[in-house]
Structures are given as structure tokens and as C-alpha cells.
Amino acid sequence: MPMTEDERNKRQSIIDACRRMNALGINQGTSGNISLRHGEGMLITPTSVPYDEMVPEQIVFMGFDGAFAAGAKPSSEWRFHLDILRARGDVNAVVHAHPTYATVLAIMGREIPPIHYMIAAAGGETIRCAPYATYGTAELSAHAVKALEGRFACLLAHHGMIAVGPSLSRALWLAVEVETLARQYHGCLQVGEPPLLSSEEIERVRQKIAGYGHA
Ligand code: 13P
């Protein structure tokens, strides 16, 4: 079946977001991957293709049943992308990357606490850290879906982070915000344990910030 213009645009937007992710310094090499809801499934980056060489035809369509065209090579992390999109009707885009500071905290098994009001953009007073499981496994996917409950971002122990959103631009924006919070928290920890904002304040900001930033 020939590709519609809408599908081609979505595929190109995924490639553009991958390149932007590396240009922004929140990922390196091909260690990130991106998916976008499309019909009864998702469009997802292919495994291990350098973003500068990636073309729309290489983006893989995978149905919500996990089926994909013979010969296609979806990201090794397709399972958590698919499970997140299946579990979360409010999510249309999933961005996974290995940003340095978020990954440092994830290696230390630390969630990000409410050190700054911007954490409310990720949906609550913490950005949880999902327990470690081998990349690409159903176990890792289950941990990620749980850590994302009521949230738009989480860390993955000894691995990296996930940011999700109603649009790809929103998810990418949030990924940068999460890495910024991780840098700030890392900086605070050089001085000592930082004071935290209250649950009430984070809830107030969460409601206020919902419409802020990228659509
Ligand atoms: P892919 O290249 O298969 O998307 O995976 C890279 C990776 O490091 C996953 O965490």
C-alpha cells in the first residue's frame, strides 16, 4: 500500500526529532529511539541506524498486536514503546534517550524529587526511577509503564530516561526539561541534600503548567 502524505510527514518528524535530540545534547549515537501513535499501532525508529542516514522508508510501522512487515527492523526497545502507547490514551509520542545527568541519577537509583517547580511538567512531585531490567525485555517494559503511572517521564536504572506526551514536540521538550532537572539535582547533591517543595505547591503548579510550552 502506498504511503499517505500524513504517514510520510510523521516518519520525517520522527527522524527530525532524533537529529534534534542529538543536537540538543540529550542523546548520543543511536542510543535513543522515538515512536509516534499511528492508526492501530505506532511508527518507530529502526534499530541502530545513524540518525543522519535514516530515511522515512526505514521507520517501522508496528500494529498494537506487535506485528510488523517481514524484513523490517524496529528499535530493540519497541516493546516499551508499544506498551506505553497501549496503556496510555493520553500519550501519542514516546522519546527514549540516554542523557548524561538523567542517566547518572538512574545509575545511582535516585528518583528526582521536587527540587524545582518545573518537575510538575512531568506530571507530579517526583520523576520515578524504574528498576533495572535488560534492554528490550517485557520486564523492562512493565517497570517503565509502572514508573510512568500518572507521569510523563521516568528514569530507567542503569540505562536512561523516557519522556512521553500528547505530541512529539511536547515529549521532546519535556525530555530536555527532565535532563535540566537532573543537572540541577546533581548540582544540589554536590552541596548536600536539597530542600524540597511541598506536595501542595507541586499540585498547584501542575494545574497551572498543563497548557504551558509546546502543544
Ligand atoms: P535501538 O538502536 O535498537 O533503538 O536501541 C538503542 C538502545 O540503546 C536502546 O536502549
Side-chain angles (χ1 to χ4, degrees):
M1 210 170 48
M3 206 186 288
T4 64
E5 200 179 326
D6 170 60
E7 182 172 349
R8 176 167 285 276
N9 290 343
K10 279 184 175 170
R11 287 171 181 248
Q12 188 59 52
S13 73
I14 289 174
I15 297 169
D16 293 345
C18 283
R19 292 178 185 161
R20 184 109 186 90
M21 186 161 75
N22 283 23
L24 285 164
I26 60 163
N27 192 61
Q28 67 294 314
T30 60
S31 54
N33 27 74
I34 290 180
S35 65
L36 205 47
R37 187 184 295 278
H38 182 69
E40 289 304 304
M42 65 175 179
L43 293 166
I44 186 165
T45 44
T47 187
S48 69
V49 175
Y51 306 147
D52 287 344
E53 295 169 20
M54 205 179 275
V55 293
E57 288 71 20
Q58 289 172 311
I59 301 289
V60 179
F61 174 76
M62 182 182 287
F64 283 131
D65 56 0
F68 56 94
K73 293 189 173 67
S75 165
S76 48
E77 297 295 13
W78 63 265
R79 191 174 284 274
F80 70 59
H81 285 265
L82 198 71
D83 288 346
I84 292 167
L85 290 169
R86 273 203 302 220
R88 296 282 297 267
D90 57 336
V91 168
N92 292 314
V94 179
V95 170
H96 168 59
H98 299 179
T100 303
Y101 287 89
T103 306
V104 164
L105 296 178
I107 290 166
M108 302 306 289
R110 285 197 183 239
E111 64 178 21
I112 305 180
I115 47 162
H116 191 292
Y117 75 79
M118 278 303 288
I119 201 162
E125 59 182 311
T126 57
I127 294 172
R128 302 184 191 106
C129 181
Y132 181 77
T134 307
Y135 83 95
T137 60
E139 192 187 359
L140 176 62
S141 178
H143 290 329
V145 170
K146 191 163 191 315
L148 283 168
E149 268 171 24
R151 299 285 192 274
F152 294 100
C154 72
L155 307 181
L156 302 175
H158 299 279
H159 187 158
M161 68 119 208
I162 299 174
V164 304
S167 68
L168 186 46
S169 60
R170 181 80 186 184
L172 191 58
W173 171 79
L174 183 60
V176 175
E177 294 301 327
V178 172
E179 176 62 351
T180 303
L181 286 162
R183 285 181 72 169
Q184 290 162 348
Y185 186 37
H186 178 267
C188 291
L189 291 173
Q190 311 311 302
V191 183
E193 279 296 332
L196 303 177
L197 290 166
S198 67
S199 305
E200 295 72 33
E201 179 56 14
I202 295 301
E203 180 51 25
R204 188 178 304 128
V205 178
R206 192 185 67 77
Q207 291 178 24
K208 197 170 165 160
I209 213 168
Y212 178 81
H214 294 253

